[in-house]
Amino acid sequence: MSPVPVVDAHLVVDRGAFRLDLPLRIDAGEVVALLGPNGAGKTTALRALAGLQPLSAGHLALAGQPVDRPDRDLWTPPERRPIGVVFQDHLLFPHLSALDNVAFGPRRHGADRRTARRRAADWLDRVGLGDRARSRPRQLSGGQAQRVALARALAVDPVLLLLDEPLAALDARTRLDTRAELLRHLGDHPGATLLVTHDPLDALVLADRLVIVEDGRVVQDGDAADITARPRTDYVARLVGLNLYRGTADGRRVRVGDGLTLTVADPLHGDAFVAFPPSAVALHPSRPDGSPRNAWAAVIAGLQRHGDNLRVQLDGPITVAADVTPSAAAHLDLVPGRSVWAAVKAAETRAYPA
Amino acid sequence: MTSAEAPTAARGGPPRRRRAQRVPAALLVPALAGLLFLVLPLAGLVVRAPWASLPQRLTEPGALTALRLSVQTATVATLVCLLLGVPLAWLLARARFPGRRLVRALVTVPLVLPPVVGGVALLLVFGRRGLLGGWLDATFGFTLPFTTTGVVVAEAFVAMPFLVIAVEGALRGADTRYEEAAATLGAGRWTTFTHVTLPLVAPGVAAGAVLCWARALGEFGATITFAGNYPGVTQTMPLAVYQTIEGGDLDGAVVLSLVLLTVSVAILAGLRDKWITSA
């Protein structure tokens, strides 16, 4: 790819007690998802990139051009940045037709009316809405409006495309279709893309790389395989459905607190994470003998349906989620408050340095 | 009473005809009295009108001249208010500057100021010996008081707060994220204002303009103080009505009032259908 990244930034925004401190680099053609819980600062980061929120410190360069340098009193307003933004609830101008909404950007970038409309019509065709050109936004369904909003953002040929929770306002079925549509267009987009979302599925499907933010800071950065295999915070572990513990490793044994030491497959030393899926946890009415060396006494804290299985929340030296089949659950007579033994095979754990 | 009924219906009893909501007498009686109070004088005008001599009186040149002058000055005053008032409303709603609360309070002063006092104030500023009027007269040989332009000035002074308040309210209610979306598409602040903000608040601007026009059409106190009462030059309909009744011609005053009433109601009703209800 090009040696100069499209986004080269260290975004620092102070807002009262909250501080966003986010280094970010996105190459051309790369799709990066900014994933995090509500209030983590994802949208603030997007607004800082768009110029809707000035930086308090740090720097931002787009395609090699500095656009925000608080230390040098340099700030470029949004209308002079090479960006396109898709907002959560599309924000199509209600008084303009779909066509004129898409033509709005090209017009502002100097195209004459006819050229702008032709380009808008092209883009509406590309998102499969050529026949809705004359419709007003309120006549479009949620999914259609979001596709028009995507066309509107792409019609200015942005170097950086910003998507702010583009699927959050849609119902489940529409979300599936629109996500597929989005994936196609993000693949074609030659510039960089930043996707802000709190939905891990959006991030895993659409992005090449995930940047996970919590409380204004990056907690993990990597591709989907790396993040799903090696979560580093409870939030990420919950997102990808793993039990995660932090402890101290000494060879194949990792001490995870309160006297419990887990035997793991991967030898390492020092601060370490241990992760295993709920399906790897077996429950026994009494202390199991035999192969699983990791076994501890636990108390059932709660039960809930999880797909075809039952997810059991366990208290004890560590809190654990365990998935058991309904027949196993019936056999074990699982009720909250009951004491059981939990066991995990070393081969089903994954340990990595913290 | 009625609120106690709703849950019963919601509980899924047999469908029954919805009973007319009972209105408490303590509200109904004063409400009807209020309605009567508002409508009765207007009905009085209609009843008391000299219908037989109406066509002849309507075609009298004085009446038509005053009517034309009224409609023209009110319309020009409204245009002036739009030109100055919409940017002022934008400033109050969007810009942040020290003393904004004070400015907003000042804008509303003409609302509560007796119009006659407004007229006196205008004279002190724009009169031939006023603060600005003297300079205008000496430099350009241009005088405002007792001219048709003076009528427009008096009407605009009294009516502009109505427009500013209506438009400012509309701007505050408008979603500023549309303006942000426009900025990310390359629109500068002026283009955003003309292409996004104004269309979004158009119903509010229209409502404000209608209020403003109605207020200007009925303007009396500031006009007679600042512009005088010269037929054909500064005598608008309200002034003509006043002069006619002063001259003892009650029938004439009734006719003029009826005309003013008809014109304003017709125009307001027309605009209302076209603009306000579409909001």
Side-chain angles (χ1 to χ4, degrees):
Chain A
M1 287 286 160
S2 109
V4 177
V6 171
V7 175
D8 178 9
H10 182 193
L11 308 174
V12 179
V13 178
D14 282 313
R15 234 181 26 208
F18 176 80
R19 182 180 172 92
L20 174 77
D21 188 337
L22 179 78
L24 190 65
R25 195 189 144 106
I26 311 178
D27 289 321
E30 194 183 21
V31 180
V32 169
L34 209 53
L35 182 65
N38 288 330
K42 309 182 297 284
T43 295
T44 304
L46 179 137
R47 292 176 61 83
L49 289 167
L52 300 170
Q53 162 81 59
L55 293 182
S56 312
H59 61 88
L60 167 60
L62 294 178
Q65 296 292 317
V67 296
D68 199 344
R69 288 293 302 253
D71 57 336
R72 286 192 211 154
D73 268 340
L74 180 124
W75 182 75
T76 310
E79 64 266 25
R80 302 228 314 270
R81 297 187 182 199
I83 53 163
V85 185
V86 177
F87 296 91
Q88 178 172 343
D89 25 16
H90 65 73
L91 294 183
L92 294 177
F93 304 127
H95 60 286
L96 297 180
S97 67
L99 185 75
D100 286 334
N101 261 286
V102 180
F104 188 92
R107 276 290 278 158
R108 305 285 90 76
H109 284 77
D112 63 58
R113 189 180 300 258
R114 192 186 298 170
T115 313
R117 288 207 162 160
R118 205 170 46 229
R119 196 181 306 172
D122 277 354
W123 271 107
L124 284 179
D125 280 338
R126 278 203 237 179
V127 298
L129 290 171
D131 55 333
R132 302 306 306 267
R134 290 163 166 275
S135 305
R136 291 292 172 98
R138 81 177 73 152
Q139 297 167 318
L140 299 171
S141 70
Q144 289 173 335
Q146 206 51 284
R147 276 147 70 194
V148 175
L150 177 68
R152 181 174 73 168
L154 287 171
V156 295
D157 295 327
V159 164
L160 172 64
L161 177 66
L162 299 163
L163 306 159
D164 188 8
E165 304 270 9
L167 305 171
L170 306 177
D171 61 70
R173 172 72 202 161
T174 317
R175 182 184 283 215
L176 209 63
D177 294 342
T178 313
R179 190 187 288 132
E181 178 87 20
L182 200 53
L183 180 62
R184 205 157 60 74
H185 292 289
L186 295 188
D188 292 343
H189 178 52
T193 304
L194 181 83
L195 165 72
V196 159
T197 181
H198 68 272
D199 183 340
L201 194 54
D202 289 348
L204 293 173
V205 170
L206 297 172
D208 304 318
R209 183 157 63 86
L210 279 67
V211 174
I212 301 189
V213 280
E214 280 178 63
D215 204 19
R217 293 180 172 276
V218 177
V219 295
Q220 203 165 351
D221 183 344
D223 63 16
D226 182 44
I227 301 247
T228 50
R230 299 163 167 248
R232 301 185 75 83
T233 72
D234 286 342
Y235 167 73
V236 184
R238 262 200 313 281
L239 282 186
V240 300
L242 290 177
N243 289 304
L244 177 71
Y245 308 96
R246 195 180 177 134
T248 317
D250 182 17
R252 290 186 191 280
R253 298 180 59 76
V254 183
R255 194 183 155 82
V256 292
D258 227 14
L260 184 68
T261 301
L262 295 175
T263 305
V264 297
D266 323 296
L268 75 169
H269 290 275
D271 285 345
F273 284 114
V274 179
F276 51 86
S279 57
V281 183
L283 298 186
H284 303 272
S286 58
R287 186 181 183 98
D289 32 48
S291 55
R293 261 184 289 169
N294 297 320
W296 63 95
V299 175
I300 296 174
L303 294 158
Q304 66 199 63
R305 286 200 69 85
H306 187 79
D308 289 339
N309 291 329
L310 219 57
R311 175 155 291 183
V312 185
Q313 297 294 336
L314 299 168
D315 279 343
I318 51 177
T319 58
V320 185
D323 283 355
V324 296
T325 61
S327 64
H331 181 68
L332 282 164
D333 185 24
L334 297 176
V335 288
R338 197 183 154 90
S339 296
V340 291
W341 279 80
V344 179
K345 288 181 182 159
E348 297 199 70
T349 64
R350 199 176 285 123
Y352 41 95
Chain B
M1 286 182 275
T2 46
S3 61
E5 247 176 53
T8 329
R11 234 174 268 147
R16 54 188 155 154
R17 193 182 293 244
R18 215 178 63 159
R19 249 184 293 165
Q21 289 196 331
R22 257 179 272 147
V23 179
L27 291 177
L28 186 62
V29 172
L32 289 178
L35 184 64
L36 210 61
F37 176 65
L38 287 178
V39 172
L40 207 55
L42 302 182
L45 267 183
V46 176
V47 170
R48 193 55 188 71
W51 293 103
S53 60
L54 198 65
Q56 176 220 328
R57 281 177 177 276
L58 276 183
T59 48
E60 276 174 20
L64 286 178
T65 308
L67 178 63
R68 196 182 312 122
L69 188 69
S70 271
V71 172
Q72 281 169 349
T73 52
T75 306
V76 175
T78 304
L79 291 177
V80 170
C81 289
L82 280 170
L83 222 59
L84 305 178
V86 172
L88 180 55
W90 183 88
L91 208 66
L92 288 175
R94 288 284 190 277
R96 285 195 186 150
F97 55 91
R100 189 171 61 161
R101 295 166 74 120
L102 180 70
V103 172
R104 183 179 300 127
L106 287 175
V107 165
T108 50
V109 164
L111 271 185
V112 292
L113 197 69
V116 179
V117 178
V120 173
L122 284 172
L123 265 183
L124 293 179
V125 176
F126 294 111
R128 208 169 283 205
R129 272 179 239 144
L131 294 172
L132 282 176
W135 175 76
L136 278 177
D137 192 28
T139 318
F140 303 104
F142 180 72
T143 52
L144 274 178
F146 312 109
T147 62
T148 307
T149 315
V151 176
V152 172
V153 169
E155 290 179 348
F157 176 77
V158 172
M160 190 143 87
F162 287 86
L163 182 94
V164 174
I165 286 176
V167 176
E168 195 203 337
L171 282 168
R172 283 183 183 283
D175 193 338
T176 54
R177 292 178 310 157
Y178 287 109
E179 295 169 10
E180 293 184 345
T184 65
L185 290 166
R189 294 197 83 171
W190 172 248
T191 317
T192 301
F193 176 73
T194 55
H195 284 63
V196 175
T197 315
L198 264 190
L200 283 177
V201 299
V205 173
V210 166
L211 272 177
C212 178
W213 187 84
R215 181 68 189 84
L217 190 71
E219 218 306 297
F220 177 83
T223 311
I224 201 165
T225 315
F226 182 59
N229 188 7
Y230 303 113
V233 182
T234 69
Q235 191 181 69
T236 56
M237 282 299 266
L239 273 56
V241 171
Y242 172 73
Q243 191 175 23
T244 313
I245 204 165
E246 279 286 276
D249 181 6
L250 185 60
D251 279 357
V254 170
V255 170
L256 290 174
S257 303
L258 209 56
V259 170
L260 194 55
L261 181 70
T262 312
V263 169
S264 40
V265 167
I267 291 185
L268 290 186
L271 287 177
R272 196 184 161 78
D273 284 348
K274 195 167 158 40
W275 289 104
I276 301 177
T277 46
S278 72

